Amino acid sequence: MTSGIPDGARGYEGFGGVISTRTSESTPWWPAPRRARAGAPNVIVVLVDDMGFSDVSPFGGEIDTPAVQALADEGYRFANFHATPLCSPSRAALLTGANPHRAGFGMVAHADPGYPGYRMLLPRELPTLAESFRENGYATFMVGKWHLTLESLMHDGADRSSWPVQRGFDRYFGSMDGFTTLYHPHRLVRDNSVVADDPQGEEYLTDRLTDEAIAMIDGLRANEASRPFFLYFAHHAVHGPVQSKPADIEKYRGAYDAGWDRVRAERLERQIAAGLVPDGTTLPDGAGDGDIPVWDDLDAQTRALFARHMEVYAAAVDAVDQSLGRLVAHLKEIGEYDDTIIVFTSDNGGTAEGGPTGTRSYFSQFVHAAGLPDDWVRDVERPLDEMGGPRVHGHYPAGWARASNTPFRRFKGSLYEGGIHTPLVVSWPAGLPRDADDDGIRTGFAYITDLAPTLLELAGATRAAEVAGVPAEDADGESFAAALRDGRAGETGRDDQYLALVDQRAYFGRGFKAVAPALGPVDDDLSDWRLYDLAADPTESTDVAAEHPEVVADLAERWRAAAWRNTVFPLGDDFSLFGVRPATDLAYAQPVTIRPGTPTLERWRSARLISLRSFTVEVALEGALGEGMLFSHGDQGGGYALSAEAGSLVFAYNAYGRMTRRVMEVAAAERIVVRFAALPEFGWEIVAEVDGVERMRLDRVPMLIGMAPFTGISVGVDGGGPVDWELHERRGRFPYSGELRWVQYVPGAKAPYNDEVMIAVDEVSARLMD
């Protein structure tokens, strides 16, 4: 206890020892370090992106997933677990235990409509799992997809308060964006800094994330032998563009030649046999699933292409399982597997964003706008052997998405079960051993908000009482730890849960599920609602609203009350929830000068300079013309680039995979100006001038819109994914050898259609395509 300290002295508040003017008369004191409780387990959450309910073997899938199967064999499978229908909302709910609108994510982080439930920033008053585990003495790690930062705050000059390290993670490695390519990722971040122009060659991202996760664990163990860790492993796979390793694709060669109808039926048989769905469950007839043809009605060439799409997807799921297997093997090697809680799940159902025929031109598939020309690029032919590799940005057809979501109807982006019913496996050998007579299947309702309180309870940890001095508000989830410990507990105790997305509404309650697929002209019109008895009809095949009008009325009113409690309103009856943006974004459409050595500009920041408008790119050179990349914007999914080689300038334009090149022979150059003029029907005219003389003209190319160009702007080097694959194979990153002073982007006039169209991107497009 302090003593002899005169009034006005500062800095001794809270000191537990004795202070005098001399050390011989003073007593030192050290605050107790923050430590986890003795025997606290490690906690790992593995979240897969866009993987359907039936893709892994414990839930009926034929894909080889022995690591997930082993966890299920030792642990517990949840047959009635639900997430939200989209990426960001599920991640916000998982990490905070709060309903997604309360957590600020009523939509994906690409929108910024200006309403409380759509702030796209995790509130300070809702602690993340990382913040709570850190308060309990844990080390906290994350690898993979974040997707919980507003896209306008992901660039290098942004406020980083919503980045992973600021929300409780000691270490982070991955892409903060909604998705990335698994070869040549467009933007990787380590902790708080961008991994600038990382030359990783053809390294596969799923494997690299696994390396990083294991390295974080080993780094901790080299310094702290017993401190428990929380690892959030959020895979970028199997979100599109779907890419895989060649050996894994070869493993599934011919495995899907029988088609999606056969695969779907066989998965259902295995689900019934395992007790995951009731005996007698039937597959819904496909109403509302889009134009999915009967497999046997397709011609042989189409079947071969569609089967190849699924071989690539199965290989990507297989790689996720390999990653989990490596992680488990490492835990066993260091003697920590038994004392580690492992959760394996997906953020939403499988997605139909590939459309009825799939695509090898992924980014063009996201564009849904009035006025597109009839010849808009939707699919670019590629040899089957290139599919899944770094040159092809592809996605499987919707028929495989329906198989992925077996036995449920609809897809990601929908509030029907196919969009929200996801697999969940929980394993903890030391803390949750299974009785011999327990099959490990849990059938009670559980929601993604329940994971946070469950994991904290199992670990013996408490939720953080405050974050950065802000008192914590209550979460919404309820722990299902009792159901894990005792199968006879059956139900988790939860009965009510609202769901909402744009203009869709749904409510679980009284053993039923009420669904309103769209808004009618009157808010309280009960004819908008469908009703399903999930115990008797888990696949939502039969609407029983007419038989139970009182249940419909009750659940519709419960939904309305829950919506007000969770900041759900306003609902989206127009495009403003993902079309309106704040005036502060306009500042990012001002001219920008980029000098050699500047890290690749972030995707969204780059897009503000060119999106739906005319623009000019000016290059300032000195001295003799060298060789190398002058500027590059985009990748194999779409982009443009200007390089110098062998006394010529080469302009390459990649229209979502369709290449155009123009060679300009020049003896010298000081100023190069490339003008992009916006044309009607989403096109550009491109003119290049060298020292004031026109040297190239492209009368019309398809405009790059939506998520293209995906990789941002690089100057003096080919950063990220290559626009021109042939040049990349010959020259790699091709740094410019001469004197490049700067490259300046000058945004010009908006296209006439800029303010009048809705460009649907990423998760939103899947919902609109249903």
Side-chain angles (χ1 to χ4, degrees), residues 313-376:
Y313 177 75
V317 174
D318 191 313
V320 168
D321 187 81
Q322 294 173 41
S323 165
L324 177 62
R326 284 182 57 201
L327 194 57
V328 167
H330 192 72
L331 291 171
K332 290 180 177 179
E333 181 181 345
I334 64 176
E336 297 190 32
Y337 171 69
D338 287 348
D339 291 319
T340 300
I341 302 168
I342 301 179
V343 170
F344 180 92
T345 189
S346 178
D347 60 352
N348 45 247
T351 175
E353 63 193 26
T357 60
T359 184
R360 290 156 289 181
S361 185
Y362 184 65
F363 295 131
S364 71
Q365 195 75 7
F366 285 127
V367 180
H368 302 270
L372 283 176
D374 293 338
D375 61 351
W376 184 258

Coordinates of all heavy atoms in Angstrom, one line a residue, residues 313-376:
Y313 N -14.8 -28.3 -57.9 CA -15.4 -28.0 -56.6 C -15.1 -29.0 -55.5 O -14.7 -28.7 -54.4 CB -16.9 -27.8 -56.7 CG -17.5 -27.4 -55.4 CD1 -17.4 -26.2 -54.8 CD2 -18.3 -28.4 -54.7 CE1 -18.0 -25.9 -53.6 CE2 -18.9 -28.1 -53.5 CZ -18.8 -26.9 -53.0 OH -19.4 -26.6 -51.7
A314 N -15.2 -30.3 -55.9 CA -15.0 -31.4 -54.9 C -13.5 -31.3 -54.5 O -13.2 -31.6 -53.3 CB -15.3 -32.7 -55.6
A315 N -12.6 -31.0 -55.4 CA -11.2 -30.9 -55.1 C -10.9 -29.8 -54.1 O -10.1 -29.9 -53.2 CB -10.4 -30.8 -56.3
A316 N -11.7 -28.7 -54.2 CA -11.5 -27.6 -53.3 C -12.0 -27.9 -51.9 O -11.4 -27.6 -50.9 CB -12.2 -26.3 -53.8
V317 N -13.1 -28.7 -51.8 CA -13.6 -29.1 -50.5 C -12.6 -30.1 -49.9 O -12.3 -30.1 -48.7 CB -15.0 -29.8 -50.7 CG1 -15.4 -30.4 -49.3 CG2 -16.0 -28.8 -51.1
D318 N -12.0 -31.0 -50.8 CA -11.0 -32.0 -50.3 C -9.8 -31.2 -49.7 O -9.3 -31.6 -48.7 CB -10.6 -32.8 -51.5 CG -9.8 -34.0 -51.2 OD1 -8.8 -33.9 -50.4 OD2 -10.1 -35.1 -51.7
A319 N -9.4 -30.2 -50.4 CA -8.2 -29.4 -49.9 C -8.5 -28.8 -48.5 O -7.6 -28.7 -47.7 CB -7.9 -28.3 -50.9
V320 N -9.8 -28.3 -48.3 CA -10.1 -27.8 -47.0 C -10.0 -29.0 -45.9 O -9.5 -28.7 -44.8 CB -11.6 -27.3 -47.0 CG1 -12.1 -27.0 -45.6 CG2 -11.6 -26.0 -47.8
D321 N -10.4 -30.2 -46.3 CA -10.3 -31.3 -45.4 C -8.8 -31.6 -45.1 O -8.4 -31.9 -44.0 CB -11.0 -32.5 -45.9 CG -11.1 -33.6 -44.9 OD1 -11.9 -33.6 -44.0 OD2 -10.2 -34.6 -45.1
Q322 N -8.0 -31.6 -46.2 CA -6.6 -31.8 -46.0 C -6.0 -30.8 -45.0 O -5.1 -31.1 -44.2 CB -5.9 -31.7 -47.3 CG -6.2 -32.8 -48.3 CD -5.6 -32.5 -49.7 OE1 -4.4 -32.0 -49.8 NE2 -6.3 -32.7 -50.8
S323 N -6.4 -29.5 -45.1 CA -6.0 -28.5 -44.2 C -6.3 -28.8 -42.8 O -5.5 -28.8 -41.9 CB -6.6 -27.1 -44.6 OG -6.5 -26.2 -43.6
L324 N -7.6 -29.3 -42.6 CA -8.0 -29.7 -41.2 C -7.2 -30.8 -40.8 O -6.8 -30.9 -39.6 CB -9.5 -30.0 -41.3 CG -10.1 -30.5 -39.9 CD1 -10.0 -29.4 -38.8 CD2 -11.5 -30.9 -40.1
G325 N -6.9 -31.8 -41.6 CA -6.1 -33.0 -41.3 C -4.7 -32.6 -40.8 O -4.2 -33.1 -39.9
R326 N -4.1 -31.6 -41.5 CA -2.8 -31.2 -41.2 C -2.8 -30.5 -39.8 O -1.9 -30.7 -39.0 CB -2.3 -30.2 -42.2 CG -1.8 -30.8 -43.5 CD -1.2 -29.8 -44.4 NE -0.1 -29.0 -43.8 CZ 0.3 -27.8 -44.2 NH1 -0.4 -27.2 -45.2 NH2 1.3 -27.2 -43.6
L327 N -3.8 -29.7 -39.6 CA -4.0 -29.0 -38.3 C -4.1 -30.0 -37.1 O -3.5 -29.9 -36.1 CB -5.1 -28.0 -38.4 CG -5.3 -27.0 -37.3 CD1 -4.0 -26.1 -37.2 CD2 -6.5 -26.1 -37.6
V328 N -5.0 -31.0 -37.3 CA -5.2 -32.0 -36.3 C -3.9 -32.8 -36.1 O -3.6 -33.1 -34.9 CB -6.4 -32.9 -36.7 CG1 -6.4 -34.1 -35.8 CG2 -7.7 -32.2 -36.6
A329 N -3.3 -33.2 -37.2 CA -2.0 -34.0 -37.0 C -1.0 -33.2 -36.2 O -0.2 -33.7 -35.4 CB -1.5 -34.3 -38.4
H330 N -0.9 -31.9 -36.4 CA 0.1 -31.1 -35.7 C -0.3 -31.0 -34.2 O 0.6 -31.0 -33.4 CB 0.1 -29.7 -36.3 CG 1.3 -28.9 -35.8 ND1 2.6 -29.1 -36.2 CD2 1.4 -27.8 -35.0 CE1 3.4 -28.3 -35.6 NE2 2.7 -27.5 -34.8
L331 N -1.6 -30.8 -34.0 CA -2.0 -30.8 -32.6 C -1.7 -32.1 -31.9 O -1.2 -32.1 -30.7 CB -3.5 -30.5 -32.5 CG -4.0 -29.1 -32.9 CD1 -5.5 -29.1 -33.0 CD2 -3.5 -28.1 -31.9
K332 N -1.8 -33.2 -32.5 CA -1.5 -34.5 -32.0 C 0.0 -34.6 -31.8 O 0.5 -35.1 -30.7 CB -2.0 -35.6 -32.8 CG -3.5 -35.8 -32.8 CD -3.9 -36.9 -33.7 CE -5.5 -37.1 -33.7 NZ -5.9 -38.2 -34.6
E333 N 0.8 -34.1 -32.7 CA 2.3 -34.1 -32.6 C 2.8 -33.4 -31.4 O 3.7 -33.8 -30.7 CB 2.9 -33.6 -33.9 CG 4.4 -33.6 -33.9 CD 5.0 -33.0 -35.1 OE1 4.3 -32.9 -36.1 OE2 6.2 -32.7 -35.1
I334 N 2.1 -32.2 -31.1 CA 2.6 -31.4 -29.9 C 1.8 -31.8 -28.7 O 2.0 -31.1 -27.6 CB 2.5 -29.9 -30.2 CG1 1.0 -29.5 -30.4 CG2 3.3 -29.5 -31.4 CD1 0.8 -28.0 -30.6
G335 N 1.0 -32.8 -28.8 CA 0.3 -33.3 -27.6 C -0.9 -32.5 -27.1 O -1.2 -32.5 -25.9
E336 N -1.5 -31.7 -28.0 CA -2.6 -30.8 -27.6 C -4.0 -31.1 -28.2 O -4.9 -30.4 -28.0 CB -2.2 -29.4 -27.9 CG -1.0 -28.9 -27.1 CD -0.7 -27.4 -27.2 OE1 -1.7 -26.7 -27.2 OE2 0.5 -27.0 -27.1
Y337 N -4.1 -32.2 -29.0 CA -5.3 -32.5 -29.7 C -6.5 -32.7 -28.7 O -7.6 -32.2 -28.8 CB -5.2 -33.6 -30.6 CG -6.5 -34.1 -31.2 CD1 -7.2 -33.3 -32.1 CD2 -7.0 -35.4 -30.8 CE1 -8.4 -33.8 -32.6 CE2 -8.2 -35.8 -31.4 CZ -8.9 -35.0 -32.3 OH -10.1 -35.5 -32.8
D338 N -6.2 -33.6 -27.7 CA -7.3 -33.9 -26.8 C -7.8 -32.7 -26.0 O -9.0 -32.7 -25.6 CB -6.8 -35.0 -25.8 CG -6.6 -36.4 -26.4 OD1 -7.1 -36.6 -27.5 OD2 -6.0 -37.2 -25.8
D339 N -7.0 -31.7 -25.8 CA -7.4 -30.6 -25.0 C -7.8 -29.4 -25.9 O -7.6 -28.2 -25.5 CB -6.3 -30.2 -24.1 CG -6.1 -31.2 -23.0 OD1 -7.1 -31.7 -22.5 OD2 -4.9 -31.5 -22.7
T340 N -8.2 -29.7 -27.1 CA -8.6 -28.6 -28.1 C -10.1 -28.8 -28.5 O -10.4 -29.9 -29.0 CB -7.7 -28.6 -29.3 OG1 -6.3 -28.4 -28.9 CG2 -8.1 -27.5 -30.3
I341 N -10.9 -27.8 -28.3 CA -12.2 -27.8 -28.9 C -12.1 -27.4 -30.3 O -11.5 -26.4 -30.7 CB -13.1 -26.8 -28.1 CG1 -13.2 -27.1 -26.6 CG2 -14.5 -26.7 -28.7 CD1 -13.8 -26.0 -25.8
I342 N -12.7 -28.2 -31.2 CA -12.7 -27.9 -32.7 C -14.1 -27.8 -33.2 O -14.9 -28.7 -33.0 CB -11.9 -28.9 -33.5 CG1 -10.4 -29.0 -33.0 CG2 -11.9 -28.5 -35.0 CD1 -9.6 -30.0 -33.7
V343 N -14.4 -26.7 -33.8 CA -15.7 -26.5 -34.5 C -15.5 -26.4 -36.0 O -14.6 -25.7 -36.4 CB -16.4 -25.2 -34.0 CG1 -17.6 -24.9 -34.8 CG2 -16.8 -25.4 -32.5
F344 N -16.3 -27.1 -36.8 CA -16.3 -27.1 -38.2 C -17.7 -26.8 -38.7 O -18.6 -27.5 -38.4 CB -15.8 -28.4 -38.8 CG -15.7 -28.5 -40.3 CD1 -14.5 -28.2 -40.9 CD2 -16.8 -28.9 -41.1 CE1 -14.4 -28.2 -42.3 CE2 -16.6 -28.9 -42.4 CZ -15.4 -28.6 -43.1
T345 N -17.8 -25.7 -39.5 CA -19.1 -25.3 -40.1 C -18.9 -24.5 -41.3 O -17.8 -24.3 -41.8 CB -19.9 -24.6 -39.0 OG1 -21.3 -24.4 -39.5 CG2 -19.3 -23.2 -38.7
S346 N -20.0 -24.0 -41.9 CA -20.0 -23.2 -43.1 C -20.9 -21.9 -42.8 O -21.7 -21.9 -41.9 CB -20.6 -23.9 -44.3 OG -20.7 -23.1 -45.4
D347 N -20.6 -20.9 -43.5 CA -21.3 -19.6 -43.3 C -22.7 -19.5 -43.9 O -23.5 -18.6 -43.5 CB -20.4 -18.4 -43.7 CG -20.1 -18.4 -45.2 OD1 -20.4 -19.4 -45.9 OD2 -19.5 -17.4 -45.7
N348 N -23.0 -20.3 -44.9 CA -24.3 -20.3 -45.5 C -24.3 -21.5 -46.4 O -23.4 -22.3 -46.5 CB -24.6 -19.0 -46.3 CG -23.4 -18.5 -47.1 OD1 -22.8 -17.4 -46.9 ND2 -23.1 -19.2 -48.2
G349 N -25.4 -21.6 -47.2 CA -25.6 -22.7 -48.1 C -24.8 -22.6 -49.3 O -24.2 -21.5 -49.6
G350 N -24.8 -23.6 -50.2 CA -24.1 -23.6 -51.5 C -24.8 -22.5 -52.3 O -26.0 -22.2 -52.2
T351 N -24.1 -22.0 -53.3 CA -24.5 -20.8 -54.0 C -24.8 -21.2 -55.5 O -24.1 -21.9 -56.1 CB -23.5 -19.7 -54.0 OG1 -23.9 -18.6 -54.8 CG2 -22.1 -20.2 -54.4
A352 N -25.8 -20.5 -56.0 CA -26.2 -20.6 -57.4 C -25.7 -19.5 -58.3 O -26.1 -19.3 -59.4 CB -27.7 -20.7 -57.6
E353 N -24.6 -18.8 -57.8 CA -24.2 -17.6 -58.5 C -23.5 -18.0 -59.8 O -23.2 -17.1 -60.6 CB -23.2 -16.8 -57.6 CG -22.0 -17.5 -57.2 CD -21.2 -16.8 -56.1 OE1 -21.9 -16.1 -55.3 OE2 -20.0 -17.0 -56.0
G354 N -23.2 -19.3 -60.0 CA -22.6 -19.7 -61.3 C -23.7 -19.7 -62.4 O -23.3 -19.9 -63.6
G355 N -25.0 -19.6 -62.0 CA -26.0 -19.6 -63.0 C -26.3 -21.0 -63.5 O -25.7 -22.0 -63.1
P356 N -27.3 -21.1 -64.4 CA -27.8 -22.5 -64.8 C -26.7 -23.2 -65.6 O -26.7 -24.5 -65.6 CB -29.0 -22.2 -65.7 CG -28.9 -20.8 -66.1 CD -28.2 -20.1 -65.0
T357 N -25.8 -22.6 -66.2 CA -24.8 -23.3 -67.0 C -23.4 -23.2 -66.5 O -22.4 -23.6 -67.1 CB -24.8 -22.7 -68.5 OG1 -24.5 -21.3 -68.5 CG2 -26.1 -22.9 -69.1
G358 N -23.2 -22.5 -65.3 CA -21.8 -22.3 -64.8 C -21.1 -21.3 -65.6 O -21.6 -20.7 -66.6
T359 N -19.9 -21.0 -65.2 CA -19.1 -20.0 -65.9 C -17.6 -20.2 -65.7 O -17.2 -20.7 -64.7 CB -19.5 -18.5 -65.4 OG1 -18.8 -17.6 -66.2 CG2 -19.1 -18.4 -64.0
R360 N -16.9 -19.8 -66.8 CA -15.4 -19.7 -66.7 C -15.0 -18.2 -66.8 O -13.9 -17.9 -67.1 CB -14.8 -20.5 -67.8 CG -14.9 -22.0 -67.6 CD -14.9 -22.8 -68.9 NE -16.0 -22.6 -69.7 CZ -16.2 -23.2 -70.9 NH1 -15.3 -24.0 -71.3 NH2 -17.3 -22.9 -71.6
S361 N -16.0 -17.3 -66.5 CA -15.8 -15.9 -66.5 C -16.5 -15.3 -65.3 O -17.5 -14.6 -65.4 CB -16.3 -15.3 -67.8 OG -16.1 -14.0 -67.9
Y362 N -16.0 -15.6 -64.1 CA -16.7 -15.5 -62.9 C -17.2 -14.0 -62.6 O -18.4 -13.8 -62.3 CB -15.8 -15.9 -61.7 CG -16.4 -15.9 -60.4 CD1 -17.5 -16.7 -60.0 CD2 -15.9 -15.0 -59.4 CE1 -18.0 -16.7 -58.7 CE2 -16.4 -15.0 -58.1 CZ -17.5 -15.8 -57.8 OH -18.0 -15.8 -56.5
F363 N -16.4 -13.0 -62.9 CA -16.7 -11.7 -62.5 C -17.8 -11.1 -63.4 O -18.6 -10.3 -63.0 CB -15.5 -10.8 -62.5 CG -14.5 -11.2 -61.4 CD1 -13.2 -11.3 -61.7 CD2 -14.9 -11.4 -60.1 CE1 -12.3 -11.7 -60.7 CE2 -14.0 -11.8 -59.1 CZ -12.7 -11.9 -59.4
S364 N -17.9 -11.5 -64.7 CA -18.9 -11.0 -65.6 C -20.3 -11.6 -65.1 O -21.3 -11.0 -65.4 CB -18.6 -11.4 -67.0 OG -18.8 -12.8 -67.2
Q365 N -20.3 -12.7 -64.4 CA -21.5 -13.3 -64.0 C -22.2 -12.5 -63.0 O -23.4 -12.7 -62.7 CB -21.2 -14.7 -63.5 CG -22.4 -15.6 -63.3 CD -22.9 -16.2 -64.7 OE1 -22.2 -16.0 -65.7 NE2 -24.0 -16.9 -64.7
F366 N -21.5 -11.6 -62.3 CA -22.1 -10.8 -61.2 C -22.8 -9.6 -61.7 O -23.5 -8.9 -61.0 CB -21.0 -10.3 -60.3 CG -20.5 -11.4 -59.4 CD1 -19.2 -11.6 -59.3 CD2 -21.4 -12.1 -58.6 CE1 -18.7 -12.6 -58.4 CE2 -20.9 -13.1 -57.8 CZ -19.6 -13.4 -57.7
V367 N -22.7 -9.3 -63.0 CA -23.3 -8.0 -63.5 C -24.7 -8.3 -63.9 O -25.0 -9.0 -64.8 CB -22.4 -7.5 -64.7 CG1 -23.0 -6.2 -65.2 CG2 -21.0 -7.3 -64.2
H368 N -25.6 -7.6 -63.3 CA -27.1 -7.6 -63.5 C -27.6 -6.2 -63.7 O -27.9 -5.6 -62.7 CB -27.8 -8.4 -62.4 CG -27.3 -9.8 -62.2 ND1 -27.8 -10.9 -62.9 CD2 -26.3 -10.2 -61.5 CE1 -27.1 -11.9 -62.5 NE2 -26.2 -11.6 -61.7
A369 N -27.7 -5.7 -64.9 CA -28.0 -4.3 -65.1 C -28.9 -4.2 -66.4 O -28.6 -4.9 -67.3 CB -26.8 -3.5 -65.2
A370 N -29.8 -3.3 -66.3 CA -30.6 -3.0 -67.5 C -29.6 -2.3 -68.5 O -28.8 -1.5 -68.2 CB -31.7 -2.0 -67.2
G371 N -29.8 -2.7 -69.8 CA -29.0 -2.1 -70.8 C -27.7 -2.9 -71.2 O -27.0 -2.4 -72.1
L372 N -27.5 -4.0 -70.7 CA -26.3 -4.8 -71.1 C -26.5 -5.3 -72.5 O -27.6 -5.7 -72.9 CB -26.1 -6.0 -70.2 CG -25.5 -5.8 -68.8 CD1 -25.5 -7.1 -68.0 CD2 -24.1 -5.3 -68.9
P373 N -25.5 -5.3 -73.3 CA -25.6 -5.7 -74.7 C -25.9 -7.2 -74.8 O -25.5 -8.0 -73.8 CB -24.3 -5.4 -75.4 CG -23.3 -5.3 -74.2 CD -24.1 -4.8 -73.0
D374 N -26.5 -7.7 -75.9 CA -26.8 -9.1 -76.0 C -25.5 -10.0 -76.0 O -25.6 -11.1 -75.6 CB -27.6 -9.3 -77.3 CG -29.0 -8.7 -77.3 OD1 -29.5 -8.4 -76.1 OD2 -29.5 -8.4 -78.3
D375 N -24.4 -9.4 -76.5 CA -23.2 -10.2 -76.5 C -22.3 -10.1 -75.3 O -21.1 -10.3 -75.4 CB -22.4 -9.9 -77.8 CG -22.0 -8.4 -77.8 OD1 -22.4 -7.6 -76.9 OD2 -21.2 -8.0 -78.7
W376 N -22.9 -9.7 -74.2 CA -22.1 -9.5 -72.9 C -21.4 -10.8 -72.6 O -22.0 -11.9 -72.7 CB -23.0 -9.1 -71.8 CG -22.3 -8.8 -70.5 CD1 -22.1 -9.7 -69.4 CD2 -21.5 -7.7 -70.2 NE1 -21.4 -9.1 -68.5 CE2 -20.9 -7.8 -68.9 CE3 -21.2 -6.5 -70.9 CZ2 -20.1 -6.9 -68.3 CZ3 -20.4 -5.5 -70.3 CH2 -19.9 -5.7 -69.0

